[in-house]
Amino acid sequence: MSNADINDAGLHVEEVNLVEIAKKYGTPCYVYSRKALTESYTAYRNALAGHNDGNSLICYAVKANSNLAILNIFARLGAGFDIVSGGELARVIAAGGDAKKTVFSGVGKSHDEISAALQAGIKCFNIESSSELGRINTVAGNLGLVAPVSIRVNPDVDAKTHPYISTGLKTSKFGVAYGEALPLYRFAATMPNINVVGIDCHIGSQLLDSAPVAEATQKILSLVDALAAEGIKLKHIDIGGGMGIRYNDEAMPSTAEYLAPVLKTLAGRNESLLLEPGRSLVGNAGILLTKVEVLKQGGNDRDFVIIDAAMNDLMRPALYDAWHNIVPVRPRSGEARLCEVVGPVCESGDFLGHDRRLSVQEGDLLAILSAGAYGMTMSSNYNTRPRAAEVMVDGDKTYLIRKREEVAQLFAEEALLP
Ligand SMILES: *Cc1c(COP(=O)(O)O)cnc(C)c1O
């Protein structure tokens, strides 16, 4: 287990027992480890140190987990950020992140978002269509500014991951088709309020093997060279995010092993390298701590373990049929039974784990592992459930980094008819 360890006292994160956290902050509750966050970032930094004199920037993909404390930890470590909305830009700035190290991705940037990003002085816009390019040129012109841009090219390689998180095929809504990239760059180079600075791609998520990324990088490099031959010189190459994490028993290479084929493809290049990792920086640095509310006998020899966390807290199982390890905080010696671990939400899709062997009683604490990425950020208030608290562990200390929501807050902005 990379994000929680077990000893005689039960499951703990760094030096803090999860029983103590449940007592102090209640459940359900996301618990993160500062040490794990720092280690995953450092693994990237070390792997990139030898490439192009360390001329690389790790732009953390904010959508994986956008809590200000987490953004702040990465900002202090020197990270840049990859954002997909004006809201995420505001978070980066509020967390002490550097706009000059921030890239803005996403297929539907609004006028207001573009304007806010230009005024904040971001590093570049990752352009996803010719329409967007024109819009950015116009907005920049109105503000008397020049927009730094990179075109997100769709390299048409198969990332071989879940279809919902595969983004590099030509049928995907993301990026500009490979064959349209050169003409779009030529056009961009003629625009008065556009400065072409880079190129990027992002082919998918939870990749266990970087061969498709290396293949995409190779295709991107031919575009970079073709552009240079026409006098359009790019400063950076952004290969996106996508490195997976171990949820179960996946054979996962280390960060250095994963990046090696890509760095080999890029060896000797002068352009600086950007990466946009999300999941691999935070996924295994967080767990969702939950309590067993009710045990219920089901048909088919399955018991239902109904917990106080649900699909609104952690959507990945319901959305992608994703598998998360679920472990008791204090293991019992009793016979383990086959269980369905479900939440209280009124949907049959509200499950956290199918077919788990568990020995639990009502009131027991469970930890849902590998929940640091796409957990809290995808949460909702479905069924008028307040969002969970978030806690950061740092050594033997704990910090509340997001207070549990209160029910009254959830409808405070609603209004009755006169
Ligand atoms: C989601 C996303 C990322 C991060 O993906 P991970 O799989 O979490 O590393 C990076 N870049 C873009 C453009 C994204 O949409």
Side-chain angles (χ1 to χ4, degrees):
M1 262 174 273
S2 55
N3 46 13
D5 288 312
I6 195 128
N7 63 15
D8 292 344
L11 207 60
H12 57 99
V13 169
E14 297 192 32
E15 290 156 47
V16 183
N17 194 293
L18 288 172
V19 175
E20 298 308 314
I21 292 183
K23 242 184 236 158
K24 188 161 176 193
Y25 302 101
T27 55
C29 171
Y30 276 97
V31 184
Y32 308 110
S33 157
R34 180 178 191 171
K35 180 164 172 268
L37 292 166
T38 305
E39 283 174 358
S40 58
Y41 182 82
T42 310
Y44 268 94
R45 203 167 53 191
N46 292 345
L48 295 169
H51 174 73
N52 192 359
D53 295 329
N55 193 3
S56 309
L57 183 63
I58 302 159
C59 292
Y60 168 60
V62 172
K63 74 179 192 286
N65 190 319
S66 58
N67 185 287
L68 293 193
I70 290 178
L71 301 182
N72 177 256
I73 285 174
F74 289 135
R76 289 198 223 181
L77 291 167
F81 297 93
D82 170 44
I83 56 168
V84 293
S85 72
E88 288 188 350
L89 174 63
R91 279 185 179 273
V92 166
I93 293 168
D98 187 351
K100 288 194 292 301
K101 291 185 186 171
T102 299
V103 301
F104 192 170
S105 306
V107 292
K109 302 175 189 80
S110 72
H111 285 90
D112 285 351
E113 289 176 320
I114 293 166
S115 167
L118 279 167
Q119 282 166 317
I122 64 163
K123 184 175 179 65
C124 88
F125 291 91
N126 290 344
I127 303 275
E128 306 226 12
S129 65
S130 61
S131 167
E132 182 193 339
L133 179 64
R135 175 180 288 198
I136 291 178
N137 184 48
T138 307
V139 177
N142 291 341
L143 292 169
L145 296 170
V146 173
V149 306
S150 150
I151 293 179
R152 176 171 178 180
V153 177
N154 190 330
D156 195 25
V157 302
D158 187 353
K160 301 196 177 63
T161 185
H162 190 287
Y164 284 15
I165 50 177
S166 183
T167 54
L169 284 171
K170 64 173 175 240
T171 48
S172 156
K173 76 172 177 183
F174 298 101
V176 171
Y178 191 78
E180 288 164 27
L182 281 180
L184 195 59
Y185 267 107
R186 289 182 194 120
F187 186 40
T190 67
M191 292 177 147
N193 295 92
I194 293 290
N195 180 21
V196 173
V197 294
I199 190 163
D200 72 288
C201 69
H202 170 74
I203 61 169
S205 200
Q206 185 52 16
L207 310 180
L208 300 177
D209 165 11
S210 61
V213 185
E215 186 190 337
T217 305
Q218 193 60 58
K219 291 181 107 174
I220 296 287
L221 287 180
S222 7
L223 287 178
V224 176
D225 292 338
L227 286 165
E230 298 184 20
I232 302 175
K233 294 222 166 23
L234 302 184
K235 293 200 193 88
H236 75 248
I237 297 172
D238 177 347
I239 59 162
M243 184 171 99
I245 60 167
R246 184 172 291 147
Y247 284 99
N248 188 359
D249 54 4
E250 299 90 340
M252 187 63 225
S254 70
T255 304
E257 288 163 347
Y258 179 90
L259 290 177
V262 180
L263 295 179
K264 196 170 160 213
T265 308
L266 289 165
R269 303 289 311 198
N270 291 321
E271 299 87 359
S272 64
L273 173 62
L274 262 69
L275 293 95
E276 303 170 352
R279 186 191 315 270
S280 51
L281 288 180
V282 293
N284 271 331
I287 62 140
L288 177 57
L289 181 60
T290 172
K291 187 177 78 190
V292 176
E293 286 290 355
V294 175
L295 291 180
K296 180 174 170 180
Q297 190 128 40
N300 299 333
D301 312 330
R302 294 283 194 289
D303 284 349
F304 286 106
V305 173
I306 305 170
I307 58 177
D308 65 1
M311 65 186 288
N312 74 295
D313 299 300
L314 180 63
M315 197 185 186
R316 300 187 67 258
L319 184 63
Y320 311 122
D321 207 16
W323 192 94
H324 286 262
N325 200 2
I326 302 176
V327 295
V329 168
R330 276 199 175 133
R332 288 181 179 276
S333 49
E335 184 211 350
R337 293 178 52 86
L338 207 51
C339 303
E340 290 286 295
V341 181
V342 302
V345 160
C346 297
E347 294 282 344
S348 297
D350 179 25
F351 72 93
L352 284 304
H354 289 308
D355 292 348
R356 302 306 170 87
R357 287 213 167 268
L358 290 169
S359 166
V360 288
Q361 298 291 322
E362 291 182 359
D364 282 6
L365 294 171
L366 296 174
I368 303 177
L369 304 188
S370 313
Y374 305 106
M376 190 63 175
T377 46
M378 289 179 124
S379 66
S380 77
N381 294 120
Y382 190 42
N383 282 208
T384 306
R385 289 169 50 83
R387 256 178 274 245
E390 291 179 288
V391 171
M392 180 72 65
V393 177
D394 186 5
D396 60 359
K397 297 197 174 58
T398 60
Y399 300 92
L400 183 63
I401 60 169
R402 180 176 166 134
K403 202 170 162 257
R404 181 181 310 285
E405 283 176 343
E406 284 170 25
V407 169
Q409 269 179 283
L410 304 188
F411 49 81
E413 307 298 326
E414 297 174 29
L416 304 177
L417 295 185

